[in-house]
Amino acid sequence: SCPFVDPFRFSSPPSSPPCAYPFHEDVQRAVDDDPINGPRHDAYRRQQGIEYETLLCKQLLALGASFVTESDLRAHGAHKTPDVLLLVPLGLLVNGSYRLVRWIDSKAMFGDEVTNGSDVKRQAL
């Protein structure tokens, strides 16, 4: 008899020979080759996010900015947190006038028109 194959777990092929699931290899190949939504891309995006958050913190330290990180905030019980909460707001020149920046949430995502219009624009200046 065939074991149940979890459609959300394709990290390794099933240990038993294929029987009622002849498309498993095709599905696995599609998951592996997906350049946008597959687990390989998700891992890459997560890694890039960590690298950019680290770079952000290094640059803020070089500026002498006072801030706490998302990890710091979570350690104190906060649930919805930015990547960096500035303890002293920074002035950012936008279209000839200064805007105060109180927090920064680094995004490791592709900035297409749809994403910028929905996810990012709500948080922007």
Side-chain angles (χ1 to χ4, degrees):
S1 76
C2 277
F4 173 75
V5 176
D6 183 351
F8 298 104
R9 186 185 58 79
F10 289 106
S11 58
S12 62
S15 56
S16 58
C19 47
Y21 301 97
F23 303 110
H24 175 78
E25 289 179 10
D26 292 336
V27 171
Q28 181 66 53
R29 191 169 28 260
V31 168
D32 289 343
D33 293 343
D34 187 337
I36 297 172
N37 297 309
R40 186 173 297 156
H41 177 71
D42 288 344
Y44 174 74
R45 190 171 54 211
R46 265 191 308 279
Q47 183 59 38
Q48 273 204 315
I50 291 167
E51 288 177 22
Y52 278 102
E53 287 174 25
T54 301
L55 179 61
L56 171 64
C57 289
K58 285 180 181 179
Q59 289 179 337
L60 287 171
L61 286 171
L63 287 172
S66 298
F67 63 92
V68 291
T69 65
E70 182 176 16
S71 298
D72 298 330
L73 293 167
R74 288 191 188 278
H76 286 90
H79 297 292
K80 289 194 170 196
T81 61
D83 292 329
V84 171
L85 178 64
L86 298 168
L87 299 176
V88 177
L90 297 175
L92 181 66
L93 187 60
V94 178
N95 296 328
S97 62
Y98 282 94
R99 303 288 301 259
L100 287 180
V101 176
R102 293 179 173 85
W103 55 270
I104 301 170
D105 202 22
S106 175
K107 299 291 184 192
M109 65 175 77
F110 179 72
D112 64 9
E113 221 174 291
V114 173
T115 302
N116 284 334
S118 60
D119 296 343
V120 178
K121 199 171 189 177
R122 288 189 312 245
Q123 297 181 18
L125 302 171

PDB file of all heavy atoms in Angstrom, residues 72-95:
ATOM      1  N   ASP A  72      15.849  42.697  20.784  1.00  0.00           N
ATOM      2  CA  ASP A  72      15.751  43.393  22.067  1.00  0.00           C
ATOM      3  C   ASP A  72      14.288  43.616  22.448  1.00  0.00           C
ATOM      4  O   ASP A  72      13.890  43.380  23.591  1.00  0.00           O
ATOM      5  CB  ASP A  72      16.449  44.762  22.002  1.00  0.00           C
ATOM      6  CG  ASP A  72      17.929  44.676  21.712  1.00  0.00           C
ATOM      7  OD1 ASP A  72      18.571  43.677  22.093  1.00  0.00           O
ATOM      8  OD2 ASP A  72      18.459  45.625  21.090  1.00  0.00           O
ATOM      9  N   LEU A  73      13.501  44.076  21.480  1.00  0.00           N
ATOM     10  CA  LEU A  73      12.093  44.361  21.737  1.00  0.00           C
ATOM     11  C   LEU A  73      11.317  43.093  22.084  1.00  0.00           C
ATOM     12  O   LEU A  73      10.505  43.090  23.005  1.00  0.00           O
ATOM     13  CB  LEU A  73      11.463  45.059  20.526  1.00  0.00           C
ATOM     14  CG  LEU A  73      11.992  46.461  20.228  1.00  0.00           C
ATOM     15  CD1 LEU A  73      11.541  46.922  18.851  1.00  0.00           C
ATOM     16  CD2 LEU A  73      11.542  47.431  21.305  1.00  0.00           C
ATOM     17  N   ARG A  74      11.581  42.020  21.355  1.00  0.00           N
ATOM     18  CA  ARG A  74      10.899  40.748  21.630  1.00  0.00           C
ATOM     19  C   ARG A  74      11.279  40.206  23.007  1.00  0.00           C
ATOM     20  O   ARG A  74      10.448  39.613  23.698  1.00  0.00           O
ATOM     21  CB  ARG A  74      11.193  39.736  20.540  1.00  0.00           C
ATOM     22  CG  ARG A  74      10.496  40.069  19.236  1.00  0.00           C
ATOM     23  CD  ARG A  74      10.581  38.910  18.248  1.00  0.00           C
ATOM     24  NE  ARG A  74      10.082  39.299  16.956  1.00  0.00           N
ATOM     25  CZ  ARG A  74       8.788  39.319  16.613  1.00  0.00           C
ATOM     26  NH1 ARG A  74       7.877  38.983  17.486  1.00  0.00           N
ATOM     27  NH2 ARG A  74       8.421  39.678  15.398  1.00  0.00           N
ATOM     28  N   ALA A  75      12.528  40.413  23.410  1.00  0.00           N
ATOM     29  CA  ALA A  75      12.977  39.956  24.735  1.00  0.00           C
ATOM     30  C   ALA A  75      12.220  40.675  25.853  1.00  0.00           C
ATOM     31  O   ALA A  75      12.109  40.153  26.961  1.00  0.00           O
ATOM     32  CB  ALA A  75      14.480  40.185  24.880  1.00  0.00           C
ATOM     33  N   HIS A  76      11.679  41.853  25.537  1.00  0.00           N
ATOM     34  CA  HIS A  76      10.897  42.610  26.515  1.00  0.00           C
ATOM     35  C   HIS A  76       9.393  42.439  26.307  1.00  0.00           C
ATOM     36  O   HIS A  76       8.595  43.224  26.812  1.00  0.00           O
ATOM     37  CB  HIS A  76      11.285  44.091  26.467  1.00  0.00           C
ATOM     38  CG  HIS A  76      12.614  44.350  27.083  1.00  0.00           C
ATOM     39  ND1 HIS A  76      13.785  44.321  26.356  1.00  0.00           N
ATOM     40  CD2 HIS A  76      12.958  44.596  28.365  1.00  0.00           C
ATOM     41  CE1 HIS A  76      14.794  44.552  27.161  1.00  0.00           C
ATOM     42  NE2 HIS A  76      14.337  44.721  28.383  1.00  0.00           N
ATOM     43  N   GLY A  77       8.999  41.436  25.508  1.00  0.00           N
ATOM     44  CA  GLY A  77       7.593  41.094  25.369  1.00  0.00           C
ATOM     45  C   GLY A  77       6.838  41.727  24.216  1.00  0.00           C
ATOM     46  O   GLY A  77       5.644  41.500  24.082  1.00  0.00           O
ATOM     47  N   ALA A  78       7.494  42.515  23.394  1.00  0.00           N
ATOM     48  CA  ALA A  78       6.809  43.131  22.255  1.00  0.00           C
ATOM     49  C   ALA A  78       6.534  42.075  21.191  1.00  0.00           C
ATOM     50  O   ALA A  78       7.360  41.201  20.951  1.00  0.00           O
ATOM     51  CB  ALA A  78       7.644  44.262  21.680  1.00  0.00           C
ATOM     52  N   HIS A  79       5.376  42.142  20.547  1.00  0.00           N
ATOM     53  CA  HIS A  79       5.017  41.156  19.528  1.00  0.00           C
ATOM     54  C   HIS A  79       5.166  41.699  18.113  1.00  0.00           C
ATOM     55  O   HIS A  79       5.690  41.034  17.240  1.00  0.00           O
ATOM     56  CB  HIS A  79       3.592  40.650  19.755  1.00  0.00           C
ATOM     57  CG  HIS A  79       3.443  39.941  21.066  1.00  0.00           C
ATOM     58  ND1 HIS A  79       4.036  38.730  21.327  1.00  0.00           N
ATOM     59  CD2 HIS A  79       2.799  40.282  22.192  1.00  0.00           C
ATOM     60  CE1 HIS A  79       3.751  38.355  22.548  1.00  0.00           C
ATOM     61  NE2 HIS A  79       2.998  39.281  23.110  1.00  0.00           N
ATOM     62  N   LYS A  80       4.678  42.894  17.866  1.00  0.00           N
ATOM     63  CA  LYS A  80       4.831  43.515  16.544  1.00  0.00           C
ATOM     64  C   LYS A  80       5.983  44.496  16.654  1.00  0.00           C
ATOM     65  O   LYS A  80       5.886  45.491  17.366  1.00  0.00           O
ATOM     66  CB  LYS A  80       3.553  44.226  16.126  1.00  0.00           C
ATOM     67  CG  LYS A  80       2.440  43.280  15.780  1.00  0.00           C
ATOM     68  CD  LYS A  80       1.342  44.003  15.059  1.00  0.00           C
ATOM     69  CE  LYS A  80       0.362  42.974  14.524  1.00  0.00           C
ATOM     70  NZ  LYS A  80      -0.506  43.529  13.529  1.00  0.00           N
ATOM     71  N   THR A  81       7.056  44.172  15.949  1.00  0.00           N
ATOM     72  CA  THR A  81       8.264  44.960  16.128  1.00  0.00           C
ATOM     73  C   THR A  81       8.892  45.323  14.793  1.00  0.00           C
ATOM     74  O   THR A  81       8.870  44.526  13.860  1.00  0.00           O
ATOM     75  CB  THR A  81       9.308  44.170  16.932  1.00  0.00           C
ATOM     76  OG1 THR A  81       9.639  42.989  16.205  1.00  0.00           O
ATOM     77  CG2 THR A  81       8.786  43.790  18.295  1.00  0.00           C
ATOM     78  N   PRO A  82       9.490  46.508  14.715  1.00  0.00           N
ATOM     79  CA  PRO A  82      10.305  46.829  13.540  1.00  0.00           C
ATOM     80  C   PRO A  82      11.673  46.162  13.712  1.00  0.00           C
ATOM     81  O   PRO A  82      12.012  45.681  14.795  1.00  0.00           O
ATOM     82  CB  PRO A  82      10.422  48.352  13.614  1.00  0.00           C
ATOM     83  CG  PRO A  82      10.342  48.656  15.077  1.00  0.00           C
ATOM     84  CD  PRO A  82       9.396  47.632  15.646  1.00  0.00           C
ATOM     85  N   ASP A  83      12.477  46.162  12.670  1.00  0.00           N
ATOM     86  CA  ASP A  83      13.831  45.629  12.793  1.00  0.00           C
ATOM     87  C   ASP A  83      14.664  46.501  13.725  1.00  0.00           C
ATOM     88  O   ASP A  83      15.496  46.000  14.477  1.00  0.00           O
ATOM     89  CB  ASP A  83      14.506  45.531  11.428  1.00  0.00           C
ATOM     90  CG  ASP A  83      13.843  44.481  10.555  1.00  0.00           C
ATOM     91  OD1 ASP A  83      13.338  43.485  11.104  1.00  0.00           O
ATOM     92  OD2 ASP A  83      13.825  44.661   9.329  1.00  0.00           O
ATOM     93  N   VAL A  84      14.427  47.810  13.668  1.00  0.00           N
ATOM     94  CA  VAL A  84      15.163  48.764  14.496  1.00  0.00           C
ATOM     95  C   VAL A  84      14.187  49.825  14.998  1.00  0.00           C
ATOM     96  O   VAL A  84      13.453  50.419  14.209  1.00  0.00           O
ATOM     97  CB  VAL A  84      16.291  49.436  13.679  1.00  0.00           C
ATOM     98  CG1 VAL A  84      16.911  50.579  14.458  1.00  0.00           C
ATOM     99  CG2 VAL A  84      17.348  48.435  13.275  1.00  0.00           C
ATOM    100  N   LEU A  85      14.186  50.056  16.296  1.00  0.00           N
ATOM    101  CA  LEU A  85      13.426  51.157  16.888  1.00  0.00           C
ATOM    102  C   LEU A  85      14.452  52.197  17.333  1.00  0.00           C
ATOM    103  O   LEU A  85      15.315  51.911  18.170  1.00  0.00           O
ATOM    104  CB  LEU A  85      12.607  50.680  18.085  1.00  0.00           C
ATOM    105  CG  LEU A  85      11.813  51.756  18.820  1.00  0.00           C
ATOM    106  CD1 LEU A  85      10.747  52.350  17.907  1.00  0.00           C
ATOM    107  CD2 LEU A  85      11.185  51.186  20.075  1.00  0.00           C
ATOM    108  N   LEU A  86      14.385  53.378  16.726  1.00  0.00           N
ATOM    109  CA  LEU A  86      15.336  54.440  17.050  1.00  0.00           C
ATOM    110  C   LEU A  86      14.943  55.081  18.377  1.00  0.00           C
ATOM    111  O   LEU A  86      13.794  55.469  18.575  1.00  0.00           O
ATOM    112  CB  LEU A  86      15.340  55.488  15.933  1.00  0.00           C
ATOM    113  CG  LEU A  86      15.772  54.965  14.560  1.00  0.00           C
ATOM    114  CD1 LEU A  86      15.457  55.977  13.475  1.00  0.00           C
ATOM    115  CD2 LEU A  86      17.243  54.599  14.561  1.00  0.00           C
ATOM    116  N   LEU A  87      15.876  55.165  19.295  1.00  0.00           N
ATOM    117  CA  LEU A  87      15.600  55.783  20.589  1.00  0.00           C
ATOM    118  C   LEU A  87      15.536  57.294  20.472  1.00  0.00           C
ATOM    119  O   LEU A  87      14.860  57.960  21.254  1.00  0.00           O
ATOM    120  CB  LEU A  87      16.658  55.349  21.610  1.00  0.00           C
ATOM    121  CG  LEU A  87      16.699  53.837  21.873  1.00  0.00           C
ATOM    122  CD1 LEU A  87      17.834  53.483  22.811  1.00  0.00           C
ATOM    123  CD2 LEU A  87      15.364  53.339  22.408  1.00  0.00           C
ATOM    124  N   VAL A  88      16.256  57.830  19.496  1.00  0.00           N
ATOM    125  CA  VAL A  88      16.196  59.249  19.163  1.00  0.00           C
ATOM    126  C   VAL A  88      15.884  59.318  17.672  1.00  0.00           C
ATOM    127  O   VAL A  88      16.659  58.824  16.855  1.00  0.00           O
ATOM    128  CB  VAL A  88      17.537  59.966  19.455  1.00  0.00           C
ATOM    129  CG1 VAL A  88      17.467  61.424  19.033  1.00  0.00           C
ATOM    130  CG2 VAL A  88      17.913  59.830  20.925  1.00  0.00           C
ATOM    131  N   PRO A  89      14.722  59.871  17.304  1.00  0.00           N
ATOM    132  CA  PRO A  89      14.360  59.916  15.876  1.00  0.00           C
ATOM    133  C   PRO A  89      15.414  60.629  15.035  1.00  0.00           C
ATOM    134  O   PRO A  89      16.096  61.535  15.501  1.00  0.00           O
ATOM    135  CB  PRO A  89      13.041  60.694  15.864  1.00  0.00           C
ATOM    136  CG  PRO A  89      12.508  60.567  17.240  1.00  0.00           C
ATOM    137  CD  PRO A  89      13.710  60.492  18.143  1.00  0.00           C
ATOM    138  N   LEU A  90      15.536  60.190  13.789  1.00  0.00           N
ATOM    139  CA  LEU A  90      16.447  60.811  12.827  1.00  0.00           C
ATOM    140  C   LEU A  90      15.637  61.636  11.836  1.00  0.00           C
ATOM    141  O   LEU A  90      14.522  61.264  11.473  1.00  0.00           O
ATOM    142  CB  LEU A  90      17.227  59.742  12.059  1.00  0.00           C
ATOM    143  CG  LEU A  90      18.156  58.841  12.859  1.00  0.00           C
ATOM    144  CD1 LEU A  90      18.753  57.762  11.954  1.00  0.00           C
ATOM    145  CD2 LEU A  90      19.254  59.658  13.506  1.00  0.00           C
ATOM    146  N   GLY A  91      16.202  62.755  11.394  1.00  0.00           N
ATOM    147  CA  GLY A  91      15.555  63.574  10.369  1.00  0.00           C
ATOM    148  C   GLY A  91      15.985  63.101   8.991  1.00  0.00           C
ATOM    149  O   GLY A  91      17.171  62.920   8.729  1.00  0.00           O
ATOM    150  N   LEU A  92      15.025  62.879   8.122  1.00  0.00           N
ATOM    151  CA  LEU A  92      15.295  62.448   6.757  1.00  0.00           C
ATOM    152  C   LEU A  92      14.726  63.494   5.805  1.00  0.00           C
ATOM    153  O   LEU A  92      13.539  63.825   5.876  1.00  0.00           O
ATOM    154  CB  LEU A  92      14.644  61.083   6.503  1.00  0.00           C
ATOM    155  CG  LEU A  92      14.845  60.461   5.139  1.00  0.00           C
ATOM    156  CD1 LEU A  92      16.310  60.105   4.911  1.00  0.00           C
ATOM    157  CD2 LEU A  92      13.989  59.209   5.001  1.00  0.00           C
ATOM    158  N   LEU A  93      15.582  64.022   4.932  1.00  0.00           N
ATOM    159  CA  LEU A  93      15.152  65.048   3.988  1.00  0.00           C
ATOM    160  C   LEU A  93      14.373  64.403   2.844  1.00  0.00           C
ATOM    161  O   LEU A  93      14.884  63.568   2.109  1.00  0.00           O
ATOM    162  CB  LEU A  93      16.375  65.801   3.444  1.00  0.00           C
ATOM    163  CG  LEU A  93      16.098  67.010   2.565  1.00  0.00           C
ATOM    164  CD1 LEU A  93      15.294  68.067   3.330  1.00  0.00           C
ATOM    165  CD2 LEU A  93      17.412  67.601   2.059  1.00  0.00           C
ATOM    166  N   VAL A  94      13.099  64.776   2.709  1.00  0.00           N
ATOM    167  CA  VAL A  94      12.220  64.242   1.669  1.00  0.00           C
ATOM    168  C   VAL A  94      11.543  65.412   0.977  1.00  0.00           C
ATOM    169  O   VAL A  94      10.804  66.172   1.607  1.00  0.00           O
ATOM    170  CB  VAL A  94      11.142  63.299   2.270  1.00  0.00           C
ATOM    171  CG1 VAL A  94      10.209  62.785   1.187  1.00  0.00           C
ATOM    172  CG2 VAL A  94      11.770  62.154   3.033  1.00  0.00           C
ATOM    173  N   ASN A  95      11.815  65.565  -0.318  1.00  0.00           N
ATOM    174  CA  ASN A  95      11.200  66.641  -1.113  1.00  0.00           C
ATOM    175  C   ASN A  95      11.349  68.012  -0.461  1.00  0.00           C
ATOM    176  O   ASN A  95      10.395  68.784  -0.378  1.00  0.00           O
ATOM    177  CB  ASN A  95       9.713  66.341  -1.366  1.00  0.00           C
ATOM    178  CG  ASN A  95       9.523  65.097  -2.206  1.00  0.00           C
ATOM    179  OD1 ASN A  95      10.344  64.776  -3.065  1.00  0.00           O
ATOM    180  ND2 ASN A  95       8.455  64.382  -1.950  1.00  0.00           N
TER     181      ASN A  95
END
